[in-house]
Amino acid sequence: MSNPKSLGNRVGSLECDNTTLHLLKANDFVAKAIRERLKDVCVINVCSSPGSGKTTLMQETGKRLASKLNMAVLVGDPETERDAIRMREAGVNALQIVTGGMCHIEAQMILQALDHINLEGVDVLFIENVGNLLCPSAFDLGEDYRVTLLATTEGDDKPKKYPRMFLTSELMLVSKSDLLPYVPFSVDAVTQDAREVNPNIEVQTISTLNGEGIDVWCEWIEEKVKLKKEKAALAE
Amino acid sequence: MHELSIVKDIFSTLEEHYQTKINDIQKVQITAGLLSNVQPILIQNAFDAFIHDNEVYNDMDLEVVVNDIIAHCDNCDKDFKVEFHRFVCSCGTPSTNIVQGNELFISKVIFKQS
Ligand SMILES: Nc1nc2c(ncn2[C@@H]2O[C@H](COP(=O)(O)OP(=O)(O)O)[C@@H](O)[C@H]2O)c(=O)[nH]1
Ligand SMILES: [Mg+2]
Ligand SMILES: [Zn+2]
């Protein structure tokens, strides 16, 4: 980062200061503190439009991984506690972050929430972000991975409309794949679109309704948890 | 949208950096990369609403400069402009090495004549 201190120079009778004062940098500072604190917990930031299936996926993942991993979820919602209640009913350790109408979660909200959720023995912490493909992309939450869901009902032209989200995601989950026979949506086209934005993005198709792709997704999580633990062990 | 938090951050950053001199600022310019998801018109509206509510800043102007997205191609070892959100160089090599486009910063501050 360049030095924010700059000297004023006079242009005519106007004093003009050419400078570089970065905005929203407080968030990156807090995100760093979260990474420091969660050295051996794999943190996954789950993003999508409203209704793409994030909460349902968290419920299903909790059930499938219950015997293998200890998972917790922080879930952001502009106004209600509904999603956390749904997850707790499915046996998932979940805490709601009510963002008070805000369109995204900021790192500060996560840092505060960490004091209110039991992370004893937790291997993987999911953050279900607020349903929005735009704003959350600019806020690092201290996560290790960002996963973006795109439902087959949303159209296969979305990656380029929200490039920063797909650019910053390691994995795109094409959700509601059970609906593929009924909607004009091409997994090949969406994969190509996403890879033109981010050539490294992984793509999986998944359905919580008929179970397609859930095993591959759960293996992906287990792999990432293992990587995080190895990294933490090395750093000790 | 979070335009208002950006506007508040502009003012807290200016206050921190220029302290009381902030009252002499006539115009502030911010530079936003196309990937920062900042809409100049929305920022302008949020800025106007903010200065309307904060009398000392009533006369301050805002200018938003939008930066193109520039990525680096390792194959050609040169930078290329990303158009239509196609992060692929003209040589066909894709790139996620963004050298410009994510940024959001205050780039210029002009003070009133004293
Ligand atoms: N057909 C189908 N519907 C799904 C699937 N997953 C979730 N849904 C439905 O999509 C709606 C929104 O799901 P929800 O998990 O609340 O989405 P969120 O807003 O992203 O958390 C609900 O009515 C779900 O039952 C799926 O795999 N297939
Ligand atoms: Mg939800
Ligand atoms: Zn090239």
Side-chain angles (χ1 to χ4, degrees), chain A residues 10-67:
Chain A
R10 284 184 178 268
V11 180
S13 58
L14 283 179
E15 192 185 335
C16 172
D17 191 8
N18 290 305
T19 183
T20 309
L21 298 169
H22 291 276
L23 296 167
L24 301 180
K25 57 182 193 268
N27 186 76
D28 292 340
F29 184 77
V30 179
K32 211 172 143 214
I34 294 170
R35 284 198 177 88
E36 283 293 308
R37 189 156 154 190
L38 300 178
K39 283 215 170 77
D40 55 4
V41 181
C42 183
V43 182
I44 302 178
N45 183 358
V46 182
C47 300
S48 82
S49 308
S52 307
K54 298 180 295 300
T55 305
T56 316
L57 182 66
M58 292 297 100
Q59 291 173 299
E60 200 55 33
T61 308
K63 281 188 224 156
R64 298 269 180 144
L65 288 177
S67 60

Short mmCIF file of all heavy atoms in Angstrom, two decimals, chain A residues 10-67:
data_model
loop_
_atom_site.label_atom_id
_atom_site.label_comp_id
_atom_site.label_asym_id
_atom_site.label_seq_id
_atom_site.Cartn_x
_atom_site.Cartn_y
_atom_site.Cartn_z
N ARG A 10 0.32 23.66 -4.38
CA ARG A 10 -0.59 24.71 -4.80
C ARG A 10 -0.71 24.76 -6.30
O ARG A 10 0.26 24.84 -7.02
CB ARG A 10 -0.13 26.06 -4.24
CG ARG A 10 -0.44 26.17 -2.76
CD ARG A 10 -0.08 27.51 -2.18
NE ARG A 10 -0.47 27.54 -0.79
CZ ARG A 10 -1.66 27.98 -0.37
NH1 ARG A 10 -2.53 28.47 -1.23
NH2 ARG A 10 -1.97 27.96 0.91
N VAL A 11 -1.93 24.70 -6.79
CA VAL A 11 -2.19 24.81 -8.22
C VAL A 11 -2.93 26.13 -8.40
O VAL A 11 -4.06 26.26 -7.99
CB VAL A 11 -3.07 23.64 -8.71
CG1 VAL A 11 -3.33 23.77 -10.20
CG2 VAL A 11 -2.44 22.30 -8.39
N GLY A 12 -2.24 27.11 -8.99
CA GLY A 12 -2.83 28.44 -9.05
C GLY A 12 -3.05 28.91 -7.63
O GLY A 12 -2.17 28.76 -6.79
N SER A 13 -4.23 29.36 -7.34
CA SER A 13 -4.48 29.79 -5.97
C SER A 13 -5.21 28.69 -5.18
O SER A 13 -5.52 28.85 -4.03
CB SER A 13 -5.31 31.08 -5.99
OG SER A 13 -6.50 30.81 -6.69
N LEU A 14 -5.48 27.57 -5.88
CA LEU A 14 -6.16 26.47 -5.19
C LEU A 14 -5.12 25.53 -4.61
O LEU A 14 -4.12 25.23 -5.26
CB LEU A 14 -7.04 25.68 -6.15
CG LEU A 14 -8.38 26.30 -6.54
CD1 LEU A 14 -9.08 25.38 -7.51
CD2 LEU A 14 -9.24 26.55 -5.32
N GLU A 15 -5.39 25.04 -3.43
CA GLU A 15 -4.48 24.05 -2.87
C GLU A 15 -5.06 22.68 -3.17
O GLU A 15 -6.22 22.40 -2.90
CB GLU A 15 -4.35 24.26 -1.37
CG GLU A 15 -3.20 23.46 -0.79
CD GLU A 15 -3.16 23.58 0.72
OE1 GLU A 15 -3.66 24.59 1.25
OE2 GLU A 15 -2.65 22.65 1.35
N CYS A 16 -4.21 21.87 -3.77
CA CYS A 16 -4.70 20.58 -4.23
C CYS A 16 -3.81 19.48 -3.67
O CYS A 16 -2.59 19.56 -3.73
CB CYS A 16 -4.65 20.58 -5.75
SG CYS A 16 -5.00 18.99 -6.45
N ASP A 17 -4.42 18.47 -3.11
CA ASP A 17 -3.67 17.38 -2.51
C ASP A 17 -3.97 16.09 -3.27
O ASP A 17 -5.07 15.55 -3.18
CB ASP A 17 -4.08 17.26 -1.04
CG ASP A 17 -3.16 16.33 -0.27
OD1 ASP A 17 -2.13 15.92 -0.83
OD2 ASP A 17 -3.49 16.02 0.89
N ASN A 18 -3.00 15.63 -4.04
CA ASN A 18 -3.17 14.33 -4.71
C ASN A 18 -2.76 13.26 -3.72
O ASN A 18 -1.65 13.27 -3.21
CB ASN A 18 -2.29 14.26 -5.96
CG ASN A 18 -2.80 15.19 -7.03
OD1 ASN A 18 -3.95 15.10 -7.43
ND2 ASN A 18 -1.96 16.11 -7.46
N THR A 19 -3.63 12.34 -3.45
CA THR A 19 -3.40 11.45 -2.34
C THR A 19 -3.93 10.04 -2.63
O THR A 19 -4.52 9.79 -3.68
CB THR A 19 -4.07 12.05 -1.08
OG1 THR A 19 -3.81 11.24 0.04
CG2 THR A 19 -5.58 12.17 -1.26
N THR A 20 -3.66 9.13 -1.73
CA THR A 20 -4.23 7.77 -1.82
C THR A 20 -4.69 7.37 -0.43
O THR A 20 -3.92 6.85 0.36
CB THR A 20 -3.17 6.76 -2.32
OG1 THR A 20 -2.57 7.27 -3.51
CG2 THR A 20 -3.82 5.42 -2.64
N LEU A 21 -5.92 7.68 -0.12
CA LEU A 21 -6.46 7.32 1.19
C LEU A 21 -7.50 6.22 0.97
O LEU A 21 -8.61 6.48 0.51
CB LEU A 21 -7.12 8.54 1.85
CG LEU A 21 -6.21 9.73 2.15
CD1 LEU A 21 -7.03 10.94 2.55
CD2 LEU A 21 -5.21 9.38 3.24
N HIS A 22 -7.12 5.00 1.27
CA HIS A 22 -8.01 3.87 0.98
C HIS A 22 -9.25 3.88 1.86
O HIS A 22 -9.19 4.20 3.04
CB HIS A 22 -7.25 2.56 1.15
CG HIS A 22 -6.22 2.36 0.09
ND1 HIS A 22 -6.53 1.84 -1.13
CD2 HIS A 22 -4.90 2.68 0.05
CE1 HIS A 22 -5.44 1.82 -1.88
NE2 HIS A 22 -4.44 2.32 -1.18
N LEU A 23 -10.37 3.51 1.25
CA LEU A 23 -11.64 3.46 1.97
C LEU A 23 -11.99 2.01 2.33
O LEU A 23 -11.50 1.09 1.70
CB LEU A 23 -12.75 4.08 1.12
CG LEU A 23 -12.55 5.58 0.83
CD1 LEU A 23 -13.50 6.05 -0.25
CD2 LEU A 23 -12.72 6.41 2.10
N LEU A 24 -12.84 1.86 3.31
CA LEU A 24 -13.31 0.54 3.78
C LEU A 24 -12.14 -0.35 4.22
O LEU A 24 -12.25 -1.57 4.20
CB LEU A 24 -14.14 -0.18 2.70
CG LEU A 24 -15.39 0.54 2.21
CD1 LEU A 24 -16.10 -0.30 1.15
CD2 LEU A 24 -16.35 0.85 3.34
N LYS A 25 -11.02 0.24 4.63
CA LYS A 25 -9.89 -0.58 5.01
C LYS A 25 -10.04 -1.14 6.42
O LYS A 25 -9.39 -2.11 6.78
CB LYS A 25 -8.57 0.17 4.86
CG LYS A 25 -8.48 1.46 5.63
CD LYS A 25 -7.15 2.14 5.36
CE LYS A 25 -6.90 3.25 6.34
NZ LYS A 25 -7.32 4.56 5.97
N ALA A 26 -10.94 -0.53 7.21
CA ALA A 26 -11.18 -1.04 8.57
C ALA A 26 -11.64 -2.49 8.50
O ALA A 26 -11.26 -3.32 9.32
CB ALA A 26 -12.22 -0.18 9.28
N ASN A 27 -12.44 -2.82 7.48
CA ASN A 27 -12.95 -4.19 7.35
C ASN A 27 -11.81 -5.20 7.17
O ASN A 27 -11.82 -6.27 7.77
CB ASN A 27 -13.93 -4.28 6.18
CG ASN A 27 -14.59 -5.64 6.10
OD1 ASN A 27 -15.49 -5.95 6.88
ND2 ASN A 27 -14.10 -6.48 5.23
N ASP A 28 -10.83 -4.85 6.33
CA ASP A 28 -9.72 -5.77 6.09
C ASP A 28 -8.90 -6.00 7.35
O ASP A 28 -8.38 -7.09 7.58
CB ASP A 28 -8.82 -5.23 4.96
CG ASP A 28 -9.55 -5.25 3.62
OD1 ASP A 28 -10.54 -6.00 3.50
OD2 ASP A 28 -9.14 -4.52 2.71
N PHE A 29 -8.81 -4.95 8.15
CA PHE A 29 -8.07 -5.04 9.41
C PHE A 29 -8.75 -6.04 10.34
O PHE A 29 -8.09 -6.89 10.95
CB PHE A 29 -8.04 -3.63 10.02
CG PHE A 29 -7.25 -3.52 11.27
CD1 PHE A 29 -5.86 -3.47 11.23
CD2 PHE A 29 -7.89 -3.46 12.50
CE1 PHE A 29 -5.13 -3.37 12.39
CE2 PHE A 29 -7.16 -3.36 13.67
CZ PHE A 29 -5.77 -3.32 13.61
N VAL A 30 -10.07 -5.96 10.44
CA VAL A 30 -10.82 -6.87 11.31
C VAL A 30 -10.78 -8.30 10.76
O VAL A 30 -10.66 -9.27 11.51
CB VAL A 30 -12.28 -6.38 11.49
CG1 VAL A 30 -13.06 -7.33 12.39
CG2 VAL A 30 -12.30 -4.97 12.07
N ALA A 31 -10.85 -8.42 9.43
CA ALA A 31 -10.80 -9.75 8.81
C ALA A 31 -9.49 -10.45 9.18
O ALA A 31 -9.46 -11.66 9.44
CB ALA A 31 -10.92 -9.63 7.29
N LYS A 32 -8.42 -9.67 9.25
CA LYS A 32 -7.13 -10.23 9.63
C LYS A 32 -7.15 -10.75 11.07
O LYS A 32 -6.63 -11.81 11.36
CB LYS A 32 -6.06 -9.13 9.47
CG LYS A 32 -4.71 -9.67 9.11
CD LYS A 32 -3.73 -8.55 8.78
CE LYS A 32 -2.35 -8.93 9.30
NZ LYS A 32 -1.57 -7.79 9.76
N ALA A 33 -7.82 -9.99 11.93
CA ALA A 33 -7.94 -10.40 13.33
C ALA A 33 -8.72 -11.71 13.44
O ALA A 33 -8.41 -12.57 14.28
CB ALA A 33 -8.62 -9.29 14.15
N ILE A 34 -9.73 -11.89 12.60
CA ILE A 34 -10.52 -13.13 12.60
C ILE A 34 -9.63 -14.30 12.20
O ILE A 34 -9.64 -15.36 12.82
CB ILE A 34 -11.74 -13.00 11.67
CG1 ILE A 34 -12.71 -11.94 12.21
CG2 ILE A 34 -12.45 -14.35 11.50
CD1 ILE A 34 -13.82 -11.56 11.26
N ARG A 35 -8.81 -14.11 11.17
CA ARG A 35 -7.90 -15.18 10.72
C ARG A 35 -6.92 -15.57 11.81
O ARG A 35 -6.61 -16.73 12.00
CB ARG A 35 -7.13 -14.75 9.47
CG ARG A 35 -7.96 -14.78 8.24
CD ARG A 35 -7.16 -14.78 6.94
NE ARG A 35 -8.13 -14.89 5.86
CZ ARG A 35 -8.72 -13.84 5.30
NH1 ARG A 35 -8.38 -12.61 5.67
NH2 ARG A 35 -9.63 -14.00 4.38
N GLU A 36 -6.45 -14.55 12.54
CA GLU A 36 -5.53 -14.80 13.64
C GLU A 36 -6.18 -15.68 14.69
O GLU A 36 -5.56 -16.56 15.28
CB GLU A 36 -5.12 -13.47 14.30
CG GLU A 36 -4.11 -12.67 13.52
CD GLU A 36 -2.77 -13.37 13.47
OE1 GLU A 36 -2.27 -13.74 14.56
OE2 GLU A 36 -2.23 -13.57 12.36
N ARG A 37 -7.45 -15.40 14.92
CA ARG A 37 -8.17 -16.08 15.99
C ARG A 37 -8.61 -17.49 15.62
O ARG A 37 -8.64 -18.38 16.46
CB ARG A 37 -9.38 -15.23 16.36
CG ARG A 37 -10.06 -15.70 17.60
CD ARG A 37 -10.82 -14.56 18.23
NE ARG A 37 -11.91 -15.10 19.01
CZ ARG A 37 -12.87 -14.36 19.53
NH1 ARG A 37 -12.86 -13.05 19.35
NH2 ARG A 37 -13.82 -14.91 20.24
N LEU A 38 -8.96 -17.69 14.35
CA LEU A 38 -9.49 -18.99 13.93
C LEU A 38 -8.44 -19.77 13.15
O LEU A 38 -8.66 -20.18 12.02
CB LEU A 38 -10.75 -18.79 13.09
CG LEU A 38 -11.91 -18.07 13.79
CD1 LEU A 38 -13.08 -17.89 12.85
CD2 LEU A 38 -12.35 -18.83 15.04
N LYS A 39 -7.31 -20.01 13.81
CA LYS A 39 -6.18 -20.64 13.12
C LYS A 39 -6.45 -22.07 12.70
O LYS A 39 -5.94 -22.53 11.70
CB LYS A 39 -4.94 -20.57 13.99
CG LYS A 39 -4.29 -19.20 13.99
CD LYS A 39 -2.77 -19.35 14.08
CE LYS A 39 -2.06 -18.04 13.84
NZ LYS A 39 -2.10 -17.12 14.99
N ASP A 40 -7.24 -22.82 13.51
CA ASP A 40 -7.47 -24.21 13.11
C ASP A 40 -8.94 -24.52 12.80
O ASP A 40 -9.35 -25.68 12.79
CB ASP A 40 -6.89 -25.18 14.15
CG ASP A 40 -7.44 -24.90 15.53
OD1 ASP A 40 -8.32 -24.01 15.64
OD2 ASP A 40 -7.01 -25.58 16.49
N VAL A 41 -9.72 -23.47 12.54
CA VAL A 41 -11.11 -23.67 12.09
C VAL A 41 -11.18 -23.26 10.62
O VAL A 41 -10.73 -22.18 10.26
CB VAL A 41 -12.09 -22.80 12.92
CG1 VAL A 41 -13.53 -23.04 12.46
CG2 VAL A 41 -11.94 -23.05 14.41
N CYS A 42 -11.73 -24.13 9.81
CA CYS A 42 -11.88 -23.79 8.38
C CYS A 42 -13.13 -22.92 8.24
O CYS A 42 -14.23 -23.31 8.64
CB CYS A 42 -12.03 -25.08 7.58
SG CYS A 42 -12.15 -24.81 5.81
N VAL A 43 -12.96 -21.71 7.71
CA VAL A 43 -14.08 -20.77 7.61
C VAL A 43 -14.53 -20.65 6.15
O VAL A 43 -13.72 -20.38 5.26
CB VAL A 43 -13.69 -19.38 8.17
CG1 VAL A 43 -14.89 -18.42 8.11
CG2 VAL A 43 -13.17 -19.50 9.60
N ILE A 44 -15.81 -20.88 5.91
CA ILE A 44 -16.36 -20.84 4.55
C ILE A 44 -17.50 -19.84 4.46
O ILE A 44 -18.49 -19.95 5.18
CB ILE A 44 -16.83 -22.26 4.12
CG1 ILE A 44 -15.66 -23.25 4.21
CG2 ILE A 44 -17.41 -22.22 2.70
CD1 ILE A 44 -16.01 -24.69 3.86
N ASN A 45 -17.33 -18.85 3.61
CA ASN A 45 -18.31 -17.78 3.42
C ASN A 45 -19.24 -18.18 2.26
O ASN A 45 -18.80 -18.30 1.13
CB ASN A 45 -17.52 -16.50 3.09
CG ASN A 45 -18.37 -15.26 2.93
OD1 ASN A 45 -19.59 -15.31 3.00
ND2 ASN A 45 -17.71 -14.14 2.70
N VAL A 46 -20.51 -18.42 2.58
CA VAL A 46 -21.46 -18.91 1.57
C VAL A 46 -22.34 -17.75 1.09
O VAL A 46 -23.07 -17.15 1.87
CB VAL A 46 -22.34 -20.04 2.16
CG1 VAL A 46 -23.30 -20.57 1.10
CG2 VAL A 46 -21.48 -21.16 2.73
N CYS A 47 -22.24 -17.46 -0.21
CA CYS A 47 -22.97 -16.32 -0.77
C CYS A 47 -23.94 -16.78 -1.87
O CYS A 47 -23.74 -17.81 -2.48
CB CYS A 47 -21.98 -15.34 -1.40
SG CYS A 47 -20.79 -14.67 -0.23
N SER A 48 -24.95 -15.98 -2.11
CA SER A 48 -25.88 -16.20 -3.23
C SER A 48 -26.95 -15.12 -3.22
O SER A 48 -27.00 -14.32 -2.30
CB SER A 48 -26.57 -17.57 -3.15
OG SER A 48 -27.68 -17.54 -2.28
N SER A 49 -27.82 -15.14 -4.23
CA SER A 49 -29.01 -14.30 -4.21
C SER A 49 -29.96 -14.86 -3.14
O SER A 49 -29.78 -15.99 -2.70
CB SER A 49 -29.75 -14.40 -5.56
OG SER A 49 -28.89 -14.13 -6.61
N PRO A 50 -30.99 -14.09 -2.77
CA PRO A 50 -31.96 -14.65 -1.82
C PRO A 50 -32.65 -15.88 -2.44
O PRO A 50 -32.99 -15.87 -3.62
CB PRO A 50 -32.99 -13.52 -1.64
CG PRO A 50 -32.33 -12.29 -2.13
CD PRO A 50 -31.34 -12.72 -3.17
N GLY A 51 -32.78 -16.93 -1.65
CA GLY A 51 -33.57 -18.08 -2.10
C GLY A 51 -32.86 -19.11 -2.96
O GLY A 51 -33.49 -20.01 -3.50
N SER A 52 -31.53 -19.02 -3.08
CA SER A 52 -30.82 -20.00 -3.92
C SER A 52 -30.61 -21.34 -3.22
O SER A 52 -30.17 -22.29 -3.85
CB SER A 52 -29.46 -19.45 -4.34
OG SER A 52 -29.61 -18.19 -4.93
N GLY A 53 -30.88 -21.35 -1.91
CA GLY A 53 -30.79 -22.62 -1.19
C GLY A 53 -29.67 -22.72 -0.16
O GLY A 53 -29.29 -23.83 0.22
N LYS A 54 -29.19 -21.58 0.34
CA LYS A 54 -28.09 -21.60 1.30
C LYS A 54 -28.49 -22.29 2.61
O LYS A 54 -27.78 -23.18 3.10
CB LYS A 54 -27.61 -20.16 1.63
CG LYS A 54 -27.08 -19.40 0.44
CD LYS A 54 -26.64 -17.99 0.82
CE LYS A 54 -27.76 -17.07 1.30
NZ LYS A 54 -28.84 -16.83 0.31
N THR A 55 -29.61 -21.86 3.18
CA THR A 55 -30.02 -22.42 4.48
C THR A 55 -30.31 -23.91 4.37
O THR A 55 -29.87 -24.71 5.21
CB THR A 55 -31.25 -21.66 5.03
OG1 THR A 55 -30.94 -20.27 5.07
CG2 THR A 55 -31.60 -22.14 6.42
N THR A 56 -31.03 -24.29 3.31
CA THR A 56 -31.35 -25.71 3.10
C THR A 56 -30.05 -26.52 2.98
O THR A 56 -29.93 -27.61 3.52
CB THR A 56 -32.20 -25.89 1.82
OG1 THR A 56 -33.21 -24.88 1.81
CG2 THR A 56 -32.85 -27.25 1.79
N LEU A 57 -29.07 -25.95 2.29
CA LEU A 57 -27.79 -26.64 2.12
C LEU A 57 -27.07 -26.81 3.46
O LEU A 57 -26.48 -27.85 3.74
CB LEU A 57 -26.90 -25.89 1.12
CG LEU A 57 -25.55 -26.56 0.84
CD1 LEU A 57 -25.73 -27.89 0.11
CD2 LEU A 57 -24.65 -25.65 0.01
N MET A 58 -27.14 -25.77 4.30
CA MET A 58 -26.50 -25.85 5.61
C MET A 58 -27.16 -26.95 6.46
O MET A 58 -26.48 -27.71 7.15
CB MET A 58 -26.61 -24.50 6.34
CG MET A 58 -25.78 -23.38 5.72
SD MET A 58 -24.01 -23.69 5.74
CE MET A 58 -23.71 -24.26 4.08
N GLN A 59 -28.50 -27.03 6.38
CA GLN A 59 -29.22 -28.07 7.13
C GLN A 59 -28.78 -29.45 6.67
O GLN A 59 -28.47 -30.33 7.48
CB GLN A 59 -30.74 -27.93 6.88
CG GLN A 59 -31.34 -26.69 7.51
CD GLN A 59 -32.81 -26.51 7.08
OE1 GLN A 59 -33.10 -26.37 5.90
NE2 GLN A 59 -33.71 -26.54 8.03
N GLU A 60 -28.76 -29.63 5.35
CA GLU A 60 -28.43 -30.93 4.77
C GLU A 60 -26.97 -31.30 5.06
O GLU A 60 -26.67 -32.44 5.40
CB GLU A 60 -28.68 -30.83 3.25
CG GLU A 60 -28.84 -32.13 2.54
CD GLU A 60 -29.94 -33.02 3.11
OE1 GLU A 60 -30.96 -32.47 3.60
OE2 GLU A 60 -29.75 -34.25 3.10
N THR A 61 -26.09 -30.30 4.94
CA THR A 61 -24.67 -30.54 5.19
C THR A 61 -24.45 -30.94 6.65
O THR A 61 -23.68 -31.85 6.95
CB THR A 61 -23.85 -29.27 4.86
OG1 THR A 61 -24.19 -28.83 3.54
CG2 THR A 61 -22.36 -29.52 4.93
N GLY A 62 -25.18 -30.26 7.55
CA GLY A 62 -25.09 -30.58 8.97
C GLY A 62 -25.46 -32.03 9.23
O GLY A 62 -24.78 -32.74 9.97
N LYS A 63 -26.53 -32.48 8.60
CA LYS A 63 -26.98 -33.87 8.79
C LYS A 63 -25.94 -34.85 8.26
O LYS A 63 -25.59 -35.82 8.92
CB LYS A 63 -28.31 -34.10 8.05
CG LYS A 63 -29.51 -33.55 8.80
CD LYS A 63 -30.79 -34.01 8.10
CE LYS A 63 -31.78 -32.86 8.00
NZ LYS A 63 -32.74 -33.00 6.90
N ARG A 64 -25.45 -34.57 7.04
CA ARG A 64 -24.51 -35.50 6.41
C ARG A 64 -23.17 -35.58 7.11
O ARG A 64 -22.54 -36.63 7.14
CB ARG A 64 -24.24 -35.05 4.96
CG ARG A 64 -25.45 -35.05 4.11
CD ARG A 64 -25.60 -36.40 3.43
NE ARG A 64 -26.79 -36.38 2.60
CZ ARG A 64 -26.89 -36.99 1.43
NH1 ARG A 64 -25.88 -37.68 0.97
NH2 ARG A 64 -28.01 -36.92 0.75
N LEU A 65 -22.72 -34.44 7.64
CA LEU A 65 -21.38 -34.42 8.22
C LEU A 65 -21.36 -34.67 9.72
O LEU A 65 -20.29 -34.77 10.32
CB LEU A 65 -20.69 -33.08 7.91
CG LEU A 65 -20.24 -32.87 6.46
CD1 LEU A 65 -19.63 -31.49 6.28
CD2 LEU A 65 -19.22 -33.94 6.03
N ALA A 66 -22.57 -34.79 10.31
CA ALA A 66 -22.68 -34.90 11.78
C ALA A 66 -21.73 -35.94 12.38
O ALA A 66 -21.11 -35.69 13.42
CB ALA A 66 -24.12 -35.20 12.17
N SER A 67 -21.58 -37.09 11.71
CA SER A 67 -20.75 -38.15 12.29
C SER A 67 -19.26 -37.94 12.02
O SER A 67 -18.43 -38.62 12.59
CB SER A 67 -21.19 -39.50 11.73
OG SER A 67 -21.03 -39.47 10.32
#
